[in-house]
Amino acid sequence: MRKTIQIAVIAAIVIAASSTSHAQVRFGVKAGLTLNELKWDKEIVNKDNRAGFTAGLMMEIGLPVVGLGIDVSALYAHREDDMYLEDVKLKRDYLDIPLNVKYKIQIPVLSKIISPFVTTGPDFALMLSDADEGNFKTRKWNTSWNVGFGAELFRKLQIHANYGIGITKAFEYVGKEVDSEPVKGKDKMWTITAAYMF
């Protein structure tokens, strides 16, 4: 899976670099809400879904192929998790860098008003604050894969719903209830954002 991610990232960079002379580049500001769930490989850790938030900057590169583009963002992301096993609340802050391929569906006449789109690509999260607490140990960076959809309104406002599937572990639980190997947890989350494009 890591090789697949590396190939996807390299391909996106190569496409963007080779098309800059014909590409349309736009910048924007983005903010939204997240609903995070930790998926543990053993059901020993009780948890609850928690809401968080995200905000930052984005860049959209429209490629010469009609409707196709690259969407990359640099976002501050705050996530929280409740762990009932030890009555622990984990608060995490990340520099979140999603790198998505975006395809806008061109609708004749209506495209100036609304353009639906779909997205997919890797997401790289670098932890900004140490969230270790009790028997929960956090990973300093993790990777997810995004799948999303949305719409651009009046070529300015983009509404985007995205589901991130954790690829690498975000946490380990090393409590006394674990017999040998630590229990590993991966992030799974919905993110809904609004972006204003300049």
Side-chain angles (χ1 to χ4, degrees), residues 2 7 27-28 39 45 51 56 58 66 74 81 90 93 98-99 101 110-111 114 117 121 136 157 171 190 197:
R2 288 184 180 179
I7 292 171
F27 297 91
K39 180 66 176 178
V45 182
M58 68 170 287
V66 176
D81 306 279
L90 299 171
D93 298 302
L99 175 60
V101 175
L110 292 179
S111 62
I114 184 170
F117 59 80
F136 295 95
L157 180 64
F171 280 97
W190 278 101
M197 307 302 298

Side-chain angles (χ1 to χ4, degrees), residues 26-31 58 60 102 104 112-117 150-160 193-198:
R26 298 195 300 165
F27 297 91
V29 292
K30 179 187 288 188
M58 68 170 287
E60 182 184 87
K102 176 186 284 183
K104 290 183 182 178
K112 291 184 178 180
I113 300 173
I114 184 170
S115 294
F117 59 80
E152 182 176 84
L153 304 174
F154 304 104
R155 297 185 176 176
K156 287 291 184 182
L157 180 64
Q158 293 187 3
I159 307 297
H160 188 205
T193 58
Y196 183 82
M197 307 302 298
F198 297 104

Side-chain angles (χ1 to χ4, degrees), residues 131-173:
D132 289 2
E133 187 168 341
N135 291 310
F136 295 95
K137 305 300 178 185
T138 57
R139 186 183 176 106
K140 302 308 177 187
W141 63 271
N142 60 75
T143 306
S144 303
W145 192 268
N146 291 330
V147 178
F149 62 92
E152 182 176 84
L153 304 174
F154 304 104
R155 297 185 176 176
K156 287 291 184 182
L157 180 64
Q158 293 187 3
I159 307 297
H160 188 205
N162 184 79
Y163 186 64
I165 304 166
I167 297 173
T168 59
K169 67 182 179 183
F171 280 97
E172 285 185 348
Y173 176 71

Side-chain angles (χ1 to χ4, degrees), residues 41 52 54 65 82 89 115 187:
D41 58 3
T54 186
V65 179
D82 281 337
K89 178 178 287 188
S115 294
D187 275 319

Side-chain angles (χ1 to χ4, degrees), residues 84-120:
Y84 295 143
L85 185 62
E86 295 191 357
D87 193 24
V88 168
K89 178 178 287 188
L90 299 171
K91 296 182 179 181
R92 299 178 283 155
D93 298 302
Y94 289 96
L95 172 61
D96 198 21
I97 304 175
L99 175 60
N100 290 315
V101 175
K102 176 186 284 183
Y103 179 71
K104 290 183 182 178
I105 302 168
Q106 304 296 316
I107 303 173
V109 182
L110 292 179
S111 62
K112 291 184 178 180
I113 300 173
I114 184 170
S115 294
F117 59 80
V118 292
T119 59
T120 188

